[in-house]
Amino acid sequence: MNKISSKINLHNINWKAVVAFIATLFIGIAAGSGIALNLTPEGEVTIETNYAIELAEEQVPTVIETSDGEVEVIEAPTVESIDGDQLIDESGDYGRGEYHDTSSPEAYKNAVINKCTDVDYHYGAQCFDLANDYWSNYAGRWLSSCGTGAAKGTLNCYEQNAGDEFEMVWDPTQLQAGDWLVFTNGLYGHIGMALGSYNNGYIALLGQNQGGSKCDGGGSTANIVNISLKNFGGAFRPKSYVKEEPKQEPIEIPVSGCVQWHVERGDTMSKIMLECENTVRYGEAMNAYAKTWYSLVYMPNQSVYDGWHSKSGVGLYAGDDIEHRF
């Protein structure tokens, strides 16, 4: 794939913007972006990469999550899109590859960051190589491009690629650390592992061939970028990373000694609960309690709770008799 370049004419923008822009680029370089920065005699800044990577005009904070659930903001370049530069070769047996710890997203990041991982020995360290390395270490099998030779093709047979070890995530707002995201833009697309959650349309992404240092044979080392989710197609979530939903304590409904109540003007459910149960509990407990009292005269068999939510908006009628049904 031909190199791309972004040019900024320094004579047409203010120096404050220039300083901010160059500082942003140096942050990316310090983070191992591998982006070449050239200043021409004409006063133009040229950024060159070996593949199609679109830098964002503005930096967005890169938020990652640690293994203990803490949130951390790191320095990483913000990009709008990435497209690979070679077809994937799946003609041979890759072997098992190198062992890398997949016990947590942070453990895997620490195992591969700034390294060149090339499992198929074709075209150097491509984004698909890192994903395949993870599949090999986590699931004991290989990831497939589904015959397309492109990272984005992994979604064409997502059931096969997910198998019993992954579940699918289609809503980008539900992404979490450890999800393997597939981007469907361009000729080849891109794949990488999330290191955080959805962040205003962006997410911290661990991957190869996305601006790291050059590797022998092509591609670049694993690094972190903050990438836009505008081209998100779907994600594979390792089942061992699935977060359990917090258990909700069951709402206890007080057991009343009252059987019936004659409603007088000014009566409220809190008054009835206090006199019948010797306690008052608001919120869901009050709603649950109101569902146990039923009208006998005005709206037979309608609960006080249902009355609150009826068109009349009234649950207690003066002169009504209500019955407590356990």
Side-chain angles (χ1 to χ4, degrees), residues 100 108 112 115-119 124-126 129-130 133 208 215:
H100 291 133
Y108 188 71
V112 301
K115 294 182 179 179
C116 299
T117 300
D118 180 7
V119 299
Q126 302 292 315
D129 285 291
L130 192 67
D133 173 77
Q208 289 188 159
C215 296

Side-chain angles (χ1 to χ4, degrees), residues 49 70 76 97 175 220 233 236 267 291:
T49 66
E70 296 295 323
L175 293 170
S220 61
F236 298 91
D267 281 352
K291 291 177 182 179

Side-chain angles (χ1 to χ4, degrees), residues 151-174:
K152 66 181 182 180
T154 57
L155 293 178
N156 290 3
C157 58
Y158 69 85
E159 299 96 335
Q160 171 189 330
N161 282 323
D164 296 327
E165 297 85 9
F166 300 82
E167 63 181 37
M168 298 305 298
V169 180
W170 303 107
D171 182 354
T173 65
Q174 301 303 309

Side-chain angles (χ1 to χ4, degrees), residues 127-128 131 135 143 151 154 180-183 189-193 205 207:
C127 66
F128 191 78
W135 255 252
L143 178 67
T154 57
W180 280 87
L181 281 59
V182 180
F183 298 86
H190 190 61
I191 187 169
M193 187 178 76
L205 191 77

Side-chain angles (χ1 to χ4, degrees), residues 175-299:
L175 293 170
Q176 67 177 43
D179 292 348
W180 280 87
L181 281 59
V182 180
F183 298 86
T184 58
N185 57 289
L187 186 59
Y188 303 100
H190 190 61
I191 187 169
M193 187 178 76
L195 293 178
S197 301
Y198 178 89
N199 180 26
N200 295 318
Y202 290 82
I203 200 163
L205 191 77
L206 172 73
Q208 289 188 159
N209 215 9
Q210 59 179 29
S213 301
K214 291 182 179 180
C215 296
D216 291 340
S220 61
T221 56
N223 73 330
I224 302 169
V225 298
N226 201 31
I227 190 170
S228 169
L229 289 164
K230 64 183 181 181
N231 298 311
F232 171 75
F236 298 91
R237 175 171 296 169
K239 289 185 178 180
S240 63
Y241 299 165
V242 174
K243 299 177 181 178
E244 293 185 5
E245 293 292 332
K247 294 182 179 180
Q248 295 184 348
E249 295 295 328
I251 298 173
E252 296 182 4
I253 301 174
V255 178
S256 175
C258 298
V259 177
Q260 287 190 1
W261 183 281
H262 180 71
V263 181
E264 297 181 354
R265 187 176 299 276
D267 281 352
T268 62
M269 283 309 304
S270 58
K271 174 184 177 182
I272 296 171
M273 181 184 283
L274 179 62
E275 294 199 18
C276 290
E277 322 304 337
N278 296 317
T279 185
V280 176
R281 297 173 59 193
Y282 295 97
E284 289 301 319
M286 181 65 73
N287 289 337
Y289 187 62
K291 291 177 182 179
T292 65
W293 285 94
Y294 289 81
S295 172
L296 297 177
V297 178
Y298 278 82
M299 299 290 292

Side-chain angles (χ1 to χ4, degrees), residues 23-225:
T24 294
L25 291 176
F26 276 114
I27 287 173
I29 293 170
S33 68
I35 298 171
L37 174 64
N38 303 310
L39 182 62
T40 69
E42 292 77 21
E44 293 180 337
V45 174
T46 302
I47 311 156
E48 293 185 352
T49 66
N50 292 330
Y51 41 89
I53 178 170
E54 178 189 356
L55 297 174
E57 293 183 358
E58 296 183 2
Q59 293 293 293
V60 177
T62 305
V63 181
I64 67 171
E65 296 175 12
T66 62
S67 56
D68 56 4
E70 296 295 323
V71 174
E72 180 182 354
V73 178
I74 67 169
E75 292 181 346
T78 302
V79 302
E80 290 299 313
S81 65
I82 300 171
D83 189 14
D85 61 349
Q86 296 288 350
L87 282 172
I88 298 163
D89 188 332
E90 298 179 281
S91 60
D93 182 5
Y94 300 166
R96 283 290 299 170
E98 184 179 351
Y99 168 76
H100 291 133
D101 187 357
T102 61
S103 60
S104 70
E106 187 176 33
Y108 188 71
K109 181 260 294 181
N110 292 338
V112 301
I113 194 72
N114 298 324
K115 294 182 179 179
C116 299
T117 300
D118 180 7
V119 299
D120 61 5
Y121 309 112
H122 287 85
Y123 314 121
Q126 302 292 315
C127 66
F128 191 78
D129 285 291
L130 192 67
N132 232 335
D133 173 77
Y134 185 91
W135 255 252
S136 174
N137 279 282
Y138 179 80
R141 56 187 175 84
W142 297 112
L143 178 67
S144 173
S145 72
C146 309
T148 65
K152 66 181 182 180
T154 57
L155 293 178
N156 290 3
C157 58
Y158 69 85
E159 299 96 335
Q160 171 189 330
N161 282 323
D164 296 327
E165 297 85 9
F166 300 82
E167 63 181 37
M168 298 305 298
V169 180
W170 303 107
D171 182 354
T173 65
Q174 301 303 309
L175 293 170
Q176 67 177 43
D179 292 348
W180 280 87
L181 281 59
V182 180
F183 298 86
T184 58
N185 57 289
L187 186 59
Y188 303 100
H190 190 61
I191 187 169
M193 187 178 76
L195 293 178
S197 301
Y198 178 89
N199 180 26
N200 295 318
Y202 290 82
I203 200 163
L205 191 77
L206 172 73
Q208 289 188 159
N209 215 9
Q210 59 179 29
S213 301
K214 291 182 179 180
C215 296
D216 291 340
S220 61
T221 56
N223 73 330
I224 302 169
V225 298

